Amino acid sequence: NCWAHRSGGHGKVDLREALMHSCNVYMFEMAQETGFEGIHDMAEQFGLGQYAGLFPKLEETPAPKDLKYGNLPDSAVNAIDLSNMSIGQGAITASPLQMAMVAAAIANGGTLYRPRLVKKWRTHPDNSYNRNPTWAIRRIDVPVEALELVRGGMYDVVQDQDGTAKKARVDGINIAGKTGSAQYRKTVDGEVVNSVHTWMISFAPFDFPRYAVAMVVEDGVSGGNTIGPRLSALYAQLFEYDGTLKRGES
């Protein structure tokens, strides 16, 4: 559950030295310095805790509202609670669609877009297509330097030789991503066991992004090992389909 960082340490921890270890403690320390309000505000700007908006009335919350759309707590009970939320654990929840929106916003330079299921539509084969336009929800108030730091870290997650998601690579395409593991407990044959839902968000190509992907595999091993190869196969097919790669190149 760690990403690389191309420009070295942040004054406390050199993330390159922590590549093969969890960087959760680093995030915990940063969370205590930053405080709940700043983290909450940025998470909200990126769309967490809000209905993703696949349907016409974006401002209306669907009824019944439930956790499958994700939640963003209004407060942190204590330092432990804040630390958990800073790495996406504890009381905070998010859907894969919301995290795909986050990845897209990072990829495009900081604009959160409303997702759509249909790009163009028509009512009869003889009719011309009507375009379903994209809608920007908001421009995220994040410094360009901070966004580029995150993008650089996500690049190294896949492209660096020590990146946690190097198994997601596709020859000829630079991919950026972030791996994650959501630990939980379940009961198997009457016994409580620890398990992991593996995550990865990504975008590609790095310099001129066209795709953003959030992928989850339940009861996996880790984001890099479980999702990395699957994401590589997906991107290879996407770039073969759109003509960027010839079949067999990847």
Side-chain angles (χ1 to χ4, degrees):
N1 192 22
C2 181
W3 59 14
H5 169 29
R6 292 204 288 180
S7 59
H10 282 291
K12 282 194 172 184
V13 178
D14 184 344
L15 294 189
R16 282 195 177 275
E17 296 178 359
L19 272 171
M20 301 311 294
H21 307 280
S22 173
C23 57
N24 288 349
V25 173
Y26 172 81
M27 301 305 298
F28 296 161
E29 292 184 0
M30 288 299 295
Q32 304 311 313
E33 288 188 12
T34 303
F36 175 80
E37 290 75 16
I39 294 174
H40 181 277
D41 175 67
M42 189 56 62
E44 191 172 51
Q45 288 195 56
F46 272 95
L48 298 187
Q50 300 153 51
Y51 179 51
L54 279 172
F55 299 97
K57 296 183 179 179
L58 179 62
E59 70 281 0
E60 293 185 7
T61 300
K65 183 179 183 300
D66 57 45
L67 287 180
K68 69 181 179 180
Y69 296 114
N71 77 305
L72 183 61
D74 293 326
S75 63
V77 177
N78 50 39
I80 295 175
D81 194 28
L82 175 58
S83 294
N84 272 332
M85 282 193 285
S86 75
I87 61 168
Q89 300 275 18
I92 189 171
T93 60
S95 69
L97 177 58
Q98 286 173 317
M99 295 311 298
M101 292 166 66
V102 169
I106 294 171
N108 69 37
T111 299
L112 185 70
Y113 281 95
R114 179 179 177 178
R116 58 183 177 175
L117 292 176
V118 177
K119 183 176 181 179
K120 294 186 294 185
W121 57 275
R122 60 184 179 180
T123 56
H124 190 275
D126 294 332
N127 294 346
S128 59
Y129 280 99
N130 297 286
R131 186 174 179 83
N132 184 19
T134 57
W135 296 90
I137 299 174
R138 69 179 65 88
R139 179 69 184 173
I140 298 167
D141 183 18
V142 58
V144 173
E145 298 81 4
L147 194 61
E148 285 306 304
L149 191 64
V150 172
R151 285 169 51 86
M154 293 178 69
Y155 176 94
D156 278 354
V157 164
V158 181
Q159 301 303 137
D160 189 89
Q161 63 178 358
D162 294 320
T164 57
K166 58 187 177 182
K167 292 182 179 180
R169 292 176 187 168
V170 173
D171 290 342
I173 303 293
N174 285 332
I175 298 169
K178 174 69 180 82
T179 59
S181 303
Q183 292 83 13
Y184 77 103
R185 291 179 176 178
K186 62 181 181 179
T187 301
V188 179
D189 297 328
E191 181 181 354
V192 177
V193 297
N194 295 321
S195 192
V196 173
H197 291 329
T198 53
W199 280 78
M200 186 169 174
I201 63 172
S202 65
F203 63 87
F206 178 76
D207 292 317
F208 300 99
R210 295 200 300 278
Y211 305 106
V213 178
M215 185 179 291
V216 182
V217 175
E218 297 181 355
D219 298 323
V221 176
S222 68
N225 288 310
T226 304
I227 295 183
R230 293 170 169 84
L231 193 63
S232 175
L234 174 62
Y235 272 126
Q237 291 182 53
L238 280 173
F239 287 112
E240 287 177 357
Y241 178 79
D242 71 12
T244 303
L245 296 175
K246 295 181 181 178
R247 290 202 175 273
E249 277 189 350
S250 57

